[in-house]
Amino acid sequence: DTEVTQTPKHLVMGMTNKKSLKCEQHMGHRAMYWYKQKAKKPPELMFVYSYEKLSINESVPSRFSPECPNSSLLNLHLHALQPEDSALYLCASSQQQGYEQYFGPGTRLTVT
Amino acid sequence: AQSVTQPDIHITVSEGASLELRCNYSYGATPYLFWYVQSPGQGLQLLLKYFSGDTLVQGIKGFEAEFKRSQSSFNLRKPSVHWSDAAEYFCAVGASNFGNEKLTFGTGTRLTIIP
């Protein structure tokens, strides 16, 4: 099974709200990733966790805060977002960092 | 740093016709190469990958790709496309040096299928 699940599918939030995106995989993968994708663009890497430790932070604004509670779960906490943060947020996982990545269906985020 | 170029932004193909999507990469060592497909509003699905070995790689849904080191290319092919192949296709290169393993995506090629 190569399934990565993400909740919620859609999220609308105001600029003063706090919300979280969740990602889960049960493939035993030890690397997990957050990407942001704008319309008609490729995914942009935000964060990488390897063995539950933050491995890469692509200079993402602090209003995005990742968390990896265990090897199966990855969260992205959102606070004080801007309208330009509206995008499709994709989670992915791989056996280890550098191996092929398996993507979830994404969360469509709209910031009003 | 690695980079990927997909020179075709949009390709239109008749159903049943053959398909080739181009991908050129830049990387100093032997790259890890991938093709992903994305339907509108969906996540990315891995079609195939190349790490080493046989330069002709078979993937899912009848796709194949050929790694050509001399041309720095990893073109995706399918002998006969189906209407369900209409989607966005991304080529990606992964860095193989330990500690910096992340994917760099090309800008994508949108595939339209006409009846």
Side-chain angles (χ1 to χ4, degrees), chain A residues 12-85:
Chain A
V12 179
M13 59 185 292
M15 290 189 284
T16 58
N17 291 158
K18 286 185 180 181
K19 296 287 185 183
S20 297
L21 308 185
K22 295 185 185 301
C23 174
E24 191 167 5
Q25 57 87 15
H26 294 288
M27 295 177 279
H29 289 176
R30 303 314 301 267
M32 297 186 76
Y33 310 77
W34 278 117
Y35 288 87
K36 173 184 178 181
Q37 187 180 27
K38 302 285 270 185
K40 300 187 188 301
K41 297 289 187 183
E44 300 173 34
L45 182 65
M46 300 175 72
F47 303 103
V48 181
Y49 274 83
S50 180
Y51 289 86
E52 299 154 57
K53 288 184 168 43
L54 185 63
S55 172
I56 295 176
N57 177 341
E58 293 287 85
S59 303
V60 178
S62 59
R63 58 185 184 269
F64 295 92
S65 175
E67 178 196 20
C68 189
N70 59 55
S71 60
S72 300
L73 291 174
L74 186 66
N75 298 322
L76 186 63
H77 303 298
L78 314 173
H79 174 54
L81 294 193
Q82 304 297 309
E84 60 265 28
D85 296 322

Side-chain angles (χ1 to χ4, degrees), chain B residues 3 10 22 29 36 39 53 57-58 60 67 76 79 89 97-98 112:
Chain B
S3 65
H10 183 205
R22 296 184 291 165
Y36 285 87
S39 296
V57 179
Q58 301 298 319
I60 62 171
F67 171 61
L76 182 71
Y89 290 79
N97 54 307
F98 182 74
T112 298

Side-chain angles (χ1 to χ4, degrees), chain B residues 22-37:
Chain B
R22 296 184 291 165
C23 172
N24 292 97
Y25 70 89
S26 174
Y27 184 63
T30 299
Y32 296 160
L33 294 163
F34 309 88
W35 274 100
Y36 285 87
V37 61

Side-chain angles (χ1 to χ4, degrees), chain B residues 14-25:
Chain B
S14 297
E15 190 169 14
S18 62
L19 171 70
E20 183 169 28
L21 301 182
R22 296 184 291 165
C23 172
N24 292 97
Y25 70 89

Side-chain angles (χ1 to χ4, degrees), chain B residues 67-82:
Chain B
F67 171 61
K68 293 186 177 180
R69 185 188 300 275
S70 61
Q71 299 177 21
S72 298
S73 69
F74 189 57
N75 294 348
L76 182 71
R77 300 193 294 249
K78 187 170 185 178
S80 176
V81 298
H82 186 262

Side-chain angles (χ1 to χ4, degrees), chain A residues 33 35 37 40-45 48 55-56 58 88 90 96-106 108, chain B residues 32 34 36 38 40-46 49 51 88 90 94-95 99-103 105-108 110:
Chain A
Y33 310 77
Y35 288 87
Q37 187 180 27
K40 300 187 188 301
K41 297 289 187 183
E44 300 173 34
L45 182 65
V48 181
S55 172
I56 295 176
E58 293 287 85
L88 182 68
L90 294 164
Q96 292 189 50
Q97 196 172 342
Y99 285 48
E100 65 272 23
Q101 295 179 24
Y102 295 90
F103 285 78
R108 174 70 61 189
Chain B
Y32 296 160
F34 309 88
Y36 285 87
Q38 185 178 33
Q42 303 296 314
L44 279 71
Q45 182 180 24
L46 179 67
K49 64 185 180 189
F51 280 4
E88 189 84 20
F90 292 100
N100 191 33
E101 303 95 333
K102 57 183 179 180
L103 292 186
F105 287 89
T107 50
R110 182 161 61 95

